[in-house]
Protein backbone atom coordinates (compact mmCIF):
# COMPACT_ATOMS: atom_id res chain seq x y z
CA UNK A 1 0.00 0.00 0.00
CA UNK A 2 1.11 3.60 -0.49
CA UNK A 3 1.53 5.89 -3.47
CA UNK A 4 3.77 6.94 -6.36
CA UNK A 5 4.05 10.26 -8.20
CA UNK A 6 6.05 11.55 -11.17
CA UNK A 7 7.55 14.90 -10.19
CA UNK A 8 8.04 17.91 -12.49
CA UNK A 9 11.84 17.44 -12.48
CA UNK A 10 11.49 13.94 -13.96
CA UNK A 11 12.07 12.09 -10.70
CA UNK A 12 9.62 9.68 -9.10
CA UNK A 13 8.57 9.69 -5.43
CA UNK A 14 7.18 6.48 -3.94
CA UNK A 15 5.94 5.78 -0.41
CA UNK A 16 5.09 2.16 0.30
CA UNK A 17 4.23 -0.06 3.26
CA UNK A 18 4.08 -3.83 3.37
CA UNK A 19 6.02 -6.99 4.16
CA UNK A 20 9.79 -6.52 3.82
CA UNK A 21 10.13 -9.08 1.00
CA UNK A 22 7.44 -7.31 -1.06
CA UNK A 23 9.05 -3.92 -0.45
CA UNK A 24 12.43 -5.29 -1.55
CA UNK A 25 10.81 -6.63 -4.74
CA UNK A 26 9.25 -3.19 -5.39
CA UNK A 27 12.63 -1.56 -4.79
CA UNK A 28 14.27 -3.88 -7.33
CA UNK A 29 11.65 -2.92 -9.93
CA UNK A 30 12.13 0.78 -9.17
CA UNK A 31 15.89 0.39 -9.61
CA UNK A 32 15.36 -1.20 -13.05
CA UNK A 33 12.52 1.05 -14.18
CA UNK A 34 10.33 0.35 -17.22
CA UNK A 35 11.97 -0.53 -20.55
CA UNK A 36 12.24 3.07 -21.84
CA UNK A 37 13.40 4.55 -18.53
CA UNK A 38 16.88 5.66 -17.54
CA UNK A 39 17.22 5.22 -13.79
CA UNK A 40 20.15 7.27 -12.54
CA UNK A 41 19.77 6.37 -8.89
CA UNK A 42 17.35 5.41 -6.14
CA UNK A 43 17.36 6.87 -2.64
CA UNK A 44 15.84 4.66 0.04
CA UNK A 45 14.74 5.43 3.58
CA UNK A 46 13.40 2.51 5.63
CA UNK A 47 11.02 3.68 8.37
CA UNK A 48 8.40 2.03 10.56
CA UNK A 49 5.02 1.59 8.88
CA UNK A 50 2.40 4.09 9.98
CA UNK A 51 -0.64 2.19 8.68
CA UNK A 52 -1.94 5.30 6.93
CA UNK A 53 -2.79 3.69 3.57
CA UNK A 54 -5.63 1.41 2.50
CA UNK A 55 -4.47 0.88 -1.11
CA UNK A 56 -1.75 1.83 -3.59
CA UNK A 57 -2.36 4.76 -5.91
CA UNK A 58 -0.87 7.18 -8.38
CA UNK A 59 -0.81 10.78 -7.18
CA UNK A 60 -0.38 14.09 -8.95
CA UNK A 61 3.16 15.32 -9.50
CA UNK A 62 2.17 18.41 -7.51
CA UNK A 63 1.59 16.27 -4.41
CA UNK A 64 3.90 17.39 -1.60
CA UNK A 65 4.01 14.07 0.26
CA UNK A 66 2.83 12.55 3.52
Amino acid sequence: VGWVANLPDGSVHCVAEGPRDRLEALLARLQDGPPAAIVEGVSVAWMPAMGAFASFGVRSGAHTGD
Side-chain angles (χ1 to χ4, degrees), residues 16-42:
E17 295 182 354
R20 181 74 179 221
D21 62 327
R22 302 283 304 269
L23 293 173
E24 289 174 350
L26 173 61
L27 179 57
R29 294 198 61 187
L30 293 172
Q31 289 170 327
D32 288 340
I38 299 172
V39 178
E40 294 177 353
V42 175

